[in-house]
Amino acid sequence: MVVVLSDRVYTVEDYMKLDDGRRYELIGGELIMVPRPRYKHQKIAGRIFMKIENFLEKNPIGEVVQEVDVCLGDEVVAPDVLFISRDRLDIIGELNVQGAPDLVIEILSPATASYDKKQKSRLYFKHGVKEYWLVDPDVKFIDVYAAGEKEWRWMGAFDQEDVLTTALLPGLEISLAEVFKGLKRE
């Protein structure tokens, strides 16, 4: 369950001072405490990360990172996996990423799914994320959205029978059978 600590409006400066071992995000001035990801969530995020990382070792066109703070104006989120193209690597700071990644991948969990689908989706679009993947580990689907002129354009739903590609990483092919392999429904 996500816990919203709404006794006051929090700033990025307040967020950066937190050091209690808990996981938070800052959306709309609300400090949101999020639970640690489940096993299946972590396995899927790790597998997608490794597919992209292995691709980038042979094709150095950017960087892929897992669970790092991303500052988008006065809000801070921590996507499960993100990609930043080589020409934009200057947004990576020592403590966090200062600006919109090119690609954001969120693995849905019962506690955070509504935030990922609504508030974070709006935030990512507003700040210029080019592509957004929402991974549903229970139904083993990935919904892909690309930034349109005024809103996200749904590019399709992909399952274990598909190989996922993206124009952001030309030549990358992610076998979703491998991503979801051996993972049971909870």
Side-chain angles (χ1 to χ4, degrees):
M1 177 163 100
V2 173
V3 177
V4 178
L5 308 174
S6 59
D7 59 331
R8 66 185 184 103
V9 175
Y10 289 83
T11 65
V12 172
E13 185 178 329
D14 297 328
Y15 177 89
M16 294 302 174
K17 291 178 184 174
L18 296 171
D19 190 19
D20 61 7
R22 295 185 176 135
R23 298 177 71 235
Y24 297 98
E25 292 186 318
L26 177 64
I27 300 176
E30 293 182 327
L31 191 60
I32 301 160
M33 186 169 56
V34 293
R36 299 231 179 265
R38 295 177 177 184
Y39 172 82
K40 188 187 322 185
H41 180 122
Q42 288 293 76
K43 286 298 280 187
I44 292 169
R47 288 174 180 172
I48 292 172
F49 170 82
M50 286 308 301
K51 297 279 186 194
I52 298 172
E53 177 71 10
N54 290 338
F55 173 81
L56 290 174
E57 284 180 15
K58 296 174 186 148
N59 305 279
I61 59 172
E63 294 285 334
V64 65
V65 184
Q66 280 187 280
E67 286 193 55
V68 65
D69 283 341
V70 175
C71 296
L72 300 171
D74 57 357
E75 301 177 282
V76 183
V77 291
D80 293 305
V81 180
L82 59 94
F83 166 75
I84 301 168
S85 61
R86 180 177 41 213
D87 60 330
R88 301 185 61 249
L89 293 178
D90 60 330
I91 67 172
I92 300 173
E94 188 173 324
L95 299 176
N96 49 43
V97 173
Q98 293 283 324
D102 295 276
L103 169 64
V104 168
I105 303 164
E106 292 283 9
I107 316 301
L108 300 177
S109 65
T112 62
S114 65
Y115 276 97
D116 292 340
K117 289 179 177 181
K118 193 171 182 181
Q119 287 93 330
K120 289 170 79 174
S121 173
R122 288 179 187 157
L123 182 66
Y124 294 144
F125 182 81
K126 173 183 169 187
H127 286 275
V129 169
K130 295 176 183 171
E131 200 165 292
Y132 186 37
W133 299 0
L134 284 171
V135 182
D136 188 325
D138 289 331
V139 294
K140 299 179 181 173
F141 260 76
I142 298 180
D143 282 299
V144 174
Y145 299 89
E149 221 174 280
K150 296 184 181 184
E151 61 187 18
W152 290 115
R153 288 180 302 123
W154 182 67
M155 303 304 288
F158 302 88
D159 66 12
Q160 297 175 80
E161 297 176 5
D162 296 312
V163 173
L164 192 56
T165 62
T166 172
L168 297 174
L169 295 147
L172 172 70
E173 294 185 349
I174 299 176
S175 164
L176 297 186
E178 293 174 13
V179 168
F180 295 120
K181 180 181 174 184
L183 299 174
K184 295 181 173 66
R185 227 185 135 111
E186 290 180 359

